[in-house]
Amino acid sequence: MSSPGAIGVFDSGVGGLSVLQHIRKTFPHERLIYVADSGHVPYGDKTPAYIEQRSHTLTRFLVGQGADAIVIACNTATAAAVASLRDTFSIPIIGMEPAVKPAVAASKSGVVGVLATVGTLESARFAALLERYGDEVEIITQGCPGLVEQVEKGELDSAHTRALLERYTAPLLARGADTLILGCTHYPFLAAQIRDVIGANIMLIDTGEAVARQLQRRIHSELPQRASGDGTTRFFTSGDATAATRIMSALWGDTATAQTLPHEFL
Ligand code: DGL
């Protein structure tokens, strides 16, 4: 057995915790290290070059902490940076993208809606997904500016959040969508509120569990000799540690004490 590694996970902010929850369930004994890039959130309105540079910085930090596999728990960062991260780091890098394939398979009305950041929807990777599945069903996209910020503030139930959810889901439902893809890792934290707005009959598709399974496959095939870790989870932020601790603990469902990243990674 080689010495235990760690799984490094990052997102623009706290959204990736929705993926980390699935990773923790799948790997109860792994050492997990999570970075919220709260000092640079949201990614959705940044340029691909900016997000790529941040993704490299955070990955360098995680590798320095002993991570031997990286999960980009962010659709927007995957679109901007997964290819160049894979070119640079010779460890498994698991990305994620809106779950169009399962949504297409699940839809009965033949109309699927995608809720995501503008950055994800405008990316070449997402265009390739549409190209691949867009003939089978009608795929309608909806950028959701402001939603990530509501989750970052912990305002899951406010009137403003509800107004945004109504505004973003109404056009998709009006066009007959029976399946909505949560194409940003912040949105699963709003699943109950979205459900409240759209009613019981619309399917909601999330990618977190599939990402954890994919990570498991990659670790088994590429790091077969790996010893289990100590089951700890550590949290870092490039933003305010006190604010991050408060919101992360609320979403994680347990104390999640955030440390500030070392200066050179901010
Ligand atoms: N959570 C991220 C995603 O999955 C992006 C959020 C942001 O815009 O910062 O796309």
Side-chain angles (χ1 to χ4, degrees), residues 11-12 15 41-44 73-76 117 120 148 183-186:
D11 176 43
S12 61
V41 71
Y43 281 177
C74 176
N75 296 265
T76 315
T117 68
T120 295
V148 162
C184 166
T185 55
H186 283 71

Side-chain angles (χ1 to χ4, degrees), residues 10 43 48-56 59 72 74-89 93 125:
F10 75 86
Y43 281 177
Y50 185 94
I51 299 166
E52 189 180 328
Q53 183 259 318
R54 286 306 301 161
S55 299
H56 278 256
T59 301
I72 312 172
C74 176
N75 296 265
T76 315
T78 298
V82 69
S84 75
L85 288 177
R86 285 179 178 151
D87 283 347
T88 307
F89 298 91
I93 309 265
R125 276 180 76 89

Side-chain angles (χ1 to χ4, degrees), residues 226-246:
R226 198 157 183 272
S228 300
D230 55 10
T232 56
T233 313
R234 287 194 302 150
F235 302 88
F236 292 87
T237 178
S238 58
D240 180 75
T242 307
T245 296
R246 185 183 53 78

